[in-house]
Amino acid sequence: MTTLSSPHIYFHLLLLFLLRHLPPCSAAAGGRWSVLLPTIGITAMHMQLLPNDRLVIFDRTDFGSSNISLPDGKCRADPNDKALKLDCTAHSVEYDVASNSVRPLTVLTDVWCSSGALTPDGTLVQTGGFNDGDHVVRVYRPCDKCDWEEIPFGLIQRRWYATSHILPDGRQIIIGGRRQFNYEFYPKRSQFEKLQNLPFLVQTYDHEIENNLYPFVFLHTDGNLFIFANNRAILLDYTTNQVLKTYPNVPGGDPRNYPSTGSAVLLPLKIVHGIVDVVEVLVCGGAPKGANFNAKIGKFDRALDTCGRIKISDPNPEWVMETMPMGRVMSDILLLPNRDVLLINGGSSGTAGWESGRDPVLQPVIYKPDNPTGSRFEVQNPSTIPRMYHSTAVLVRDGRVLVSGSNPHECYNFTNVLYPTELSLEAFSPSYLDPTLYAHRPKILSPITRFQYGKRVMIQFTVQSLLDLNLVSVTMVAPSFNTHSFSMNQRLLVLESSNVSKVVGGLKYEVEVTAPASGKIAPAGYYLVFVVHENIPSEGVWIHVAIFILKRGETPKERGSGGPRGSAPGWGRKPWRYPISLLLSPTKIESIIKMTNPVSMKDMHKTFAKLEKFSGQDFRRWQKKMHFYLTDLKVVYVLSTPFPAFVENETLEQTRNRSKWENADYICRGHILNGMSDSLFDVYQNVESAKELWDRLEAKYMAEDVSSKKFLVGNFLNYKMVDTRPVMEQYHELQRMLG
């Protein structure tokens, strides 16, 4: 047996001490890449992390066949599909982070270039798409065997290339889209809720190119919306549809939105004494003016290499421009839990669109917003897989960034093309995940699951290395919906913390933090909470910020809440009730819709496809067919049953019945409109209720039918057969008169 002398023992003890207590070294810089799956079966055009650590991923239904089959021999029959009328492959999958496996999902209508957000209960509500999916709302609930549920006519207008954002009241606002210069909400508060026009989207529209699709939208901590489109921005009070502020144009005037696709992010929000003093937005990359037109003729302009940063909370904000290490178009910007910003994916020339991008940028870049200007960008280690148009990236709970997608072709194309369709899923592990830094990485011990606005929470954690109390912080990250180089609803808060102290026994510590003060700072829903030490984050834990709901007869003052925006100082002294959409969660509202409309979308497509569009003739026949169809959907009762009136001290059952009637009326009205020709749809689309629409059609076209029949009867009675024409020819004329 070999023994060590005293000097050797001291040397080894010193070495162990240094390995455990030295600060992180620079050797870990640059991050690392790993391929998780060579194929997930589809190309990842859209991606959302759910609070059960699974990703919902989907592309579009009219690509043709994907590379993964629907389960149990199922097939999707869609007479409106532009590629396959009968498709037995999946166009959506669920990826399980823990098991590194995928499960095919069934999406029925086209989700191409759509938007979405998580509701406060963790349900993904996805809105719009293309073709038969442009008015559809789809719901995906996080559970082991769940699949997509679809709500036809959930939207007032078609939403293709629109942006969604979750609001403090738990609803979504859906802004813009192709040839849509307006916004709407989901779920609706009443059947009478209308579109709101947004002239800003007209002003930012470049003729034939657009450059204002997928606008960058962020919830300001004052409760208003910052909206950036093309090369300029406004602050919008969406409750009154008033523009409160117009920001300066980005210097240079080059476009930053689709198809000149840059990206943007709301920089980390630091809470001090319950408020956020500084609110900043960063917009990076894009394509110069004319680049989209040039790409169509084979000339690929260099992408923009600038970022604009603006303090939107300043009274007189100005853009501060910075230069990236390389130009980027179609890149994604993600917030990392240690407050760094990651730029990833994209190309360095061309624009977004079919075959319009060139020169993949394989190297991610870290942007450190707290560093001095000129020292904020750090180039990371490259991937080997180009991620061009239709690629995506999301942060997951362990701190990695999962990257997938890339398909610049109108269908799946794997051979003889510059950038083949990419089905792989890979992970980028930032430098804070380097194994040599394990001892410095905190681990959260306390089982926190819920935050209440403004309340203090104690978080216990452990760190194997020597802890620097001054280098501990707690961050809170909202999971985002990523598509087309924009992560909707992305938000990182640096929580107000104090009293970092050591717990007696072992290497345990605790830090006291204060939850955000309101839904304006942190909309209700699920967040990932991280303890950060020496710029190294722990693995995240899911916490739930619950939406605030009054009990019946209770006032906000009694529960310590302020009133709605714009309310007077004395608000709260009288009983007040939330609208139906807040008394019932979005999940419950959708379940009511499902009860109202139990027919499967597959059967609905088959039946509705056979119904001839009404174009102004033969109204009575069309009306009977439509009535049969609405009866089958169990919504026809709204044509004869009045809207349930509001009553004082109503029961929950009465509230549910009224909500059920509202949604049935919405579905009924939508199906009647969809059964008309395009020209008649344009005439009647703004009629507010199904009954009013039905009555108007009857008043106009029933009379015309009667008049037409009188004319035919007169012709029949006056008809005379002649010897100079064949008998059968005259017989057929009489048959046509009789219909």
Side-chain angles (χ1 to χ4, degrees):
M1 180 177 177
T2 304
T3 59
L4 293 175
S5 63
S6 294
H8 285 91
I9 292 173
Y10 293 142
F11 172 77
H12 282 279
L13 289 174
L14 178 61
L15 181 61
L16 288 171
F17 178 85
L18 290 174
L19 287 173
R20 181 171 164 181
H21 297 295
L22 279 177
C25 59
S26 59
R32 66 185 189 279
W33 290 88
S34 58
V35 175
L36 301 177
L37 290 173
T39 176
I40 59 172
I42 66 171
T43 185
M45 188 186 297
H46 315 77
M47 194 183 293
Q48 169 75 60
L49 176 66
L50 301 177
N52 60 354
D53 289 329
R54 296 179 186 180
L55 295 176
V56 174
I57 305 170
F58 50 99
D59 53 18
R60 52 183 278 204
T61 61
D62 58 354
F63 264 146
S65 297
S66 73
N67 282 28
I68 184 170
S69 298
L70 287 168
D72 305 321
K74 293 179 182 177
C75 294
R76 179 180 63 91
D78 185 355
N80 297 309
D81 195 283
K82 296 184 179 298
L84 290 173
K85 307 301 181 188
L86 184 68
D87 189 354
C88 301
T89 62
H91 296 279
S92 177
V93 298
E94 181 190 72
Y95 172 73
D96 187 333
V97 176
S99 65
N100 192 36
S101 61
V102 295
R103 178 172 69 92
L105 303 174
T106 306
V107 61
L108 296 171
T109 51
D110 201 351
V111 290
W112 180 19
C113 300
S114 54
S115 59
L118 291 185
T119 62
D121 69 355
T123 298
L124 171 59
V125 173
Q126 180 273 337
T127 50
F130 179 65
N131 192 20
D132 61 353
D134 58 10
H135 284 72
V136 177
V137 172
R138 302 166 191 85
V139 178
Y140 187 84
R141 309 174 201 283
C143 73
D144 289 341
K145 296 183 179 180
C146 285
D147 210 333
W148 286 101
E149 302 166 35
E150 305 209 2
I151 303 160
F153 309 108
L155 300 172
I156 299 173
Q157 282 289 11
R158 72 192 298 253
R159 298 293 168 189
W160 191 30
Y161 296 93
T163 296
S164 295
H165 203 295
I166 199 74
L167 298 173
D169 67 2
R171 298 198 299 164
Q172 284 188 45
I173 186 170
I174 306 103
I175 300 175
R178 179 152 284 168
R179 291 182 289 279
Q180 295 299 329
F181 310 109
N182 50 61
Y183 62 89
E184 63 181 286
F185 301 93
Y186 188 84
K188 305 290 184 283
R189 282 183 170 170
S190 80
Q191 61 170 326
F192 305 112
E193 190 167 279
K194 297 180 180 179
L195 291 174
Q196 297 292 329
N197 290 323
L198 189 56
F200 172 71
L201 294 178
V202 178
Q203 298 158 11
T204 54
Y205 177 84
D206 287 348
H207 183 62
E208 294 185 353
I209 299 174
E210 297 168 304
N211 279 333
N212 68 346
L213 300 181
Y214 279 123
F216 304 142
V217 180
F218 302 107
L219 178 67
H220 195 308
T221 55
D222 64 4
N224 299 301
L225 290 177
F226 174 88
I227 304 175
F228 182 102
N230 199 321
N231 55 18
R232 68 202 82 160
I234 59 171
L235 187 67
L236 177 74
D237 182 342
Y238 60 87
T239 64
T240 62
N241 197 25
Q242 297 295 312
V243 175
L244 304 178
K245 181 181 290 187
T246 299
Y247 294 92
N249 287 14
V250 175
D254 287 311
R256 308 278 178 160
N257 291 87
Y258 185 91
S260 299
T261 304
S263 194
V265 69
L266 183 70
L267 290 176
L269 301 171
K270 188 173 183 180
I271 304 173
V272 179
H273 303 307
I275 61 173
V276 179
D277 277 332
V278 179
V279 182
E280 292 185 279
V281 169
L282 182 73
V283 180
C284 290
K289 295 176 183 176
N292 185 256
F293 175 79
N294 288 340
K296 294 182 186 302
I297 60 174
K299 179 185 176 184
F300 301 97
D301 297 336
R302 301 300 298 173
L304 301 177
D305 64 357
T306 56
C307 291
R309 181 168 169 171
I310 187 170
K311 293 182 180 179
I312 66 173
S313 52
D314 274 8
N316 299 298
E318 295 291 339
W319 289 96
V320 176
M321 303 305 292
E322 301 179 66
T323 302
M324 297 185 288
M326 70 283 287
R328 295 188 100 104
V329 63
M330 301 178 290
S331 65
D332 292 286
I333 301 184
L334 296 180
L335 294 168
L336 299 180
N338 64 350
R339 292 185 280 176
D340 286 348
V341 178
L342 178 69
L343 288 79
I344 198 167
N345 297 340
S348 61
S349 59
T351 69
W354 305 133
E355 320 298 341
S356 295
R358 292 293 186 274
D359 305 317
V361 181
L362 301 175
Q363 293 174 297
V365 170
I366 292 287
Y367 176 83
K368 294 183 174 293
D370 296 332
N371 280 11
T373 304
S375 61
R376 290 175 175 162
F377 293 99
E378 295 179 1
V379 178
Q380 304 296 289
N381 292 325
S383 171
T384 59
I385 302 173
R387 301 289 182 181
M388 301 291 281
Y389 186 43
H390 289 150
S391 57
T392 46
V394 296
L395 174 74
V396 293
R397 188 166 61 88
D398 60 17
R400 293 177 299 163
V401 172
L402 302 195
V403 179
S404 193
S406 185
N407 186 30
H409 317 295
E410 200 163 354
C411 57
Y412 282 15
N413 198 335
F414 301 99
T415 57
N416 301 319
V417 287
L418 195 57
Y419 306 113
T421 301
E422 186 57 60
L423 305 182
S424 66
L425 176 70
E426 60 182 335
F428 175 70
S429 298
S431 57
Y432 55 64
L433 291 176
D434 192 281
T436 62
L437 304 180
Y438 175 78
H440 299 269
R441 192 178 194 196
K443 180 180 180 180
I444 296 176
L445 301 174
S446 51
I448 50 171
T449 58
R450 186 173 180 177
F451 276 9
Q452 290 182 311
Y453 288 125
K455 300 294 184 181
R456 293 182 179 180
V457 180
M458 195 69 73
I459 299 175
Q460 287 193 358
F461 64 98
T462 183
V463 175
Q464 297 300 313
S465 67
L466 184 65
L467 184 77
D468 187 333
L469 301 181
N470 296 316
L471 295 178
V472 174
S473 62
V474 178
T475 60
M476 177 171 149
V477 183
S480 55
F481 180 96
N482 180 268
T483 188
H484 288 77
S485 301
F486 184 50
S487 292
M488 303 174 196
N489 309 294
Q490 185 171 214
R491 202 172 190 84
L492 185 149
L493 299 108
V494 183
L495 299 181
E496 190 170 359
S497 60
S498 60
N499 303 326
V500 181
S501 58
K502 187 171 183 179
V503 179
V504 177
L507 297 172
K508 295 180 181 178
Y509 303 87
E510 60 184 15
V511 57
E512 185 180 63
V513 299
T514 303
S518 73
K520 295 177 182 179
I521 299 175
Y526 283 88
Y527 291 79
L528 284 168
V529 167
F530 300 85
V531 173
V532 182
H533 172 234
E534 295 180 335
N535 212 37
I536 301 170
S538 67
E539 187 173 89
V541 296
W542 286 105
I543 63 99
H544 188 224
V545 179
I547 192 166
F548 178 79
I549 299 179
L550 291 177
K551 293 181 180 178
R552 190 165 307 285
E554 203 172 34
T555 67
K557 189 174 181 181
E558 291 166 345
R559 293 282 294 275
S561 167
R565 181 163 8 152
S567 57
W571 188 91
R573 294 173 185 168
K574 296 180 180 179
W576 177 80
R577 293 179 304 184
Y578 278 103
I580 290 175
S581 61
L582 295 186
L583 286 169
L584 301 177
S585 71
T587 304
K588 286 188 171 66
I589 289 174
E590 302 312 338
S591 67
I592 290 171
I593 294 173
K594 194 175 178 184
M595 287 189 297
T596 307
N597 181 22
V599 182
S600 72
M601 282 291 293
K602 184 176 179 180
D603 293 337
M604 192 182 301
H605 275 309
K606 288 181 179 178
T607 306
F608 202 72
K610 296 176 183 177
L611 183 63
E612 187 177 348
K613 300 278 187 182
F614 176 59
S615 59
Q617 296 179 335
D618 296 326
F619 172 74
R620 187 61 181 162
R621 181 186 297 131
W622 175 86
Q623 186 188 41
K624 286 182 178 179
K625 290 182 178 180
M626 178 59 73
H627 195 277
F628 290 145
Y629 182 62
L630 297 174
T631 302
D632 195 35
L633 290 177
K634 295 182 172 52
V635 297
V636 74
Y637 71 91
V638 300
L639 300 178
S640 56
T641 305
F643 175 66
F646 289 95
V647 295
E648 288 297 324
N649 301 318
E650 66 184 8
T651 65
L652 183 59
E653 185 63 27
Q654 288 173 312
T655 302
R656 285 175 173 165
N657 286 339
R658 189 168 65 255
S659 181
K660 179 181 176 182
W661 191 98
E662 285 181 338
N663 287 295
D665 181 76
Y666 195 74
I667 291 169
C668 184
R669 172 180 166 274
H671 279 83
I672 295 171
L673 286 170
N674 202 47
M676 298 180 183
S677 65
D678 289 346
S679 58
L680 288 180
F681 179 93
D682 293 339
V683 172
Y684 289 100
Q685 63 175 315
N686 293 321
V687 177
E688 292 184 340
S689 72
K691 178 170 174 50
E692 182 185 354
L693 176 59
W694 195 257
D695 290 346
R696 281 199 195 181
L697 292 172
E698 274 193 341
K700 178 173 176 57
Y701 293 105
M702 193 73 84
E704 289 186 6
D705 267 10
V706 170
S707 176
S708 176
K709 286 176 181 176
K710 287 180 179 178
F711 176 75
L712 290 173
V713 169
N715 282 348
F716 178 78
L717 293 175
N718 294 323
Y719 189 84
K720 293 181 180 180
M721 298 187 73
V722 295
D723 295 333
T724 55
R725 294 174 59 200
V727 173
M728 291 306 297
E729 181 181 315
Q730 296 177 75
Y731 169 73
H732 289 311
E733 275 189 1
L734 286 170
Q735 272 195 322
R736 283 194 293 272
M737 287 183 189
L738 296 173

